[in-house]
Every structure is written in structure tokens, then in C-alpha cells.
Amino acid sequence: LAKTTQPISMDSYEGQEVNITCSHNNIATNDYITWYQQFPSQGPRFIIQGYKTKVTNEVASLFIPADRKSSTLSLPRVSLSDTAVYYCLVGRSSNTGKLIFGQGTTLQVKP
Amino acid sequence: DTGVSQDPRHKITKRGQNVTFRCDPISEHNRLYWYRQTLGQGPEFLTYFQNEAQLEKSRLLSDRFSAERPKGSFSTLEIQRTEQGDSAMYLCASSLDQTRVWEQYFGPGTRLTVT
């Protein structure tokens, strides 16, 4: 499984766009990139998954450059309720489902 | 609500006691996973089931830990002779099947405190 590196913490203000970048230099050809969100005292929640270019859903966008060695989770116009830990995971679709979480990025949204 | 549920939400026990946690996955989900999370860390994989078959166990799962999913529906995680190092949040997750393993739905967790 590819190792991921992401900032430990980030601060933002309400209404701003937040971009969290994850590095995965050793990503394999069959690997997908998946992001989870975790609020305090709750289990993680799947946000978005992508393989290349750009994926967008109602929660976030995921940008993946051509070399796929990094990815950026973009949260538009954050609110206080977006304060959470965001995890970047990388692995292939045939994976058993054993998710390997790092420390994640703690996003603090301020008023 | 058809999400993943876990019971109890909190458990305080004395060192040496046995504890059992229950997880009820989303009803049509074949895969069920157990994770453990300590403060400030991401969840760590413990084990997973495909229906009633336990297909993988982490080395974190010592012989004091046992998990079952007897009829391919709910699952239990038992810890025997608890130690203070077992204090953590125990998370259960489920996914539809092997084609959607990366989209796991997590329960609220059981917070275990061993005194």
C-alpha cells in the first residue's frame, strides 16, 4: 500500500475554500485515492474517491494530477461544521478493504 | 435509521475482566470490519468478515481478542482479560461487498476504558 503524507493540521475561516493536499509518491497503477472525514466522537465517513483528473460530488472535489503522485481534496466555502479530521488513503480496488489510516489532517474552521 | 449501530457506546471495566461489543451492519452489506482507534491516531484495522467467514486478522488482534459473525449479520468482538492498553474506541464498519470495499460505513464506536 502506498504511503501517504498530509499536513497534520490546517486552519481556515468560514466561507473560505480549503484545499488539503496528500502526497503519495509510490502510488501504483491500480491504486485509487480515497478520502474520509471524521468528526469528534464519531466513526469516519467516506467523502470521495478518484483515480485520475477530477471528481466532484455534493461534498467535495478531488483533484489528481496526471502523475498521480499527489491529490488535493477541495472543500468549497467551509462552515464551522466542517471542523474534522480528514484522511487520505491509497490502495487498489481489489484490496480486501483493510483501510490503512494515517494521522490525517485536523481542519479547524474558525468563525 | 439503517446505518451501522454499535452497542454499548461506552464501557468501563476493570483490568482482567472480559468485555463483548456488538455491531449491527447495514442490512444488505456482506462485509463487516472492526477497527481500533486511540486518541490522536487514525483507526487501525483489526479484522474483517465476508458474510460469516473471518477472512483476515491483524497482528494487533492478540489471542485475547476474538470476533464472530455467526449468521453473516451482526458481529461481536470479545476481549478477554482486558488490559489498560486495550482502552480505545472500537469501530465497526460495513461495505456492500468486495466491489465497494473502499466505501465503508462506520458506526459510532464503542469507547472502552479499562481501569
Side-chain angles (χ1 to χ4, degrees), chain A residues 57-82:
Chain A
N57 62 22
E58 64 278 4
V59 177
S61 294
L62 178 59
F63 297 92
I64 305 167
D67 66 6
R68 303 198 330 120
K69 292 184 183 300
S70 66
S71 59
T72 299
L73 176 73
S74 181
L75 305 172
R77 299 183 58 80
V78 294
S79 64
L80 295 177
S81 63
D82 291 315

Side-chain angles (χ1 to χ4, degrees), chain B residues 20-35:
Chain B
T20 300
F21 310 140
R22 176 180 171 124
C23 170
D24 285 89
I26 294 172
S27 59
E28 63 268 28
H29 284 188
N30 293 331
R31 289 239 173 154
L32 186 148
Y33 312 82
W34 284 99
Y35 294 83

Side-chain angles (χ1 to χ4, degrees), chain B residues 4 10 22-23 26 28 33-34 40 43 55-56 64 72 75-76 78 82 84 89-90 92-94 102 109-110 113-114:
Chain B
V4 177
H10 304 273
R22 176 180 171 124
C23 170
I26 294 172
E28 63 268 28
Y33 312 82
W34 284 99
L55 298 185
E56 186 172 348
R64 297 185 297 105
S75 176
T76 58
E78 181 184 14
T82 52
Q84 288 188 320
M89 176 76 85
Y90 289 83
C92 174
S94 68
W102 287 93
T110 295
T113 302
V114 181

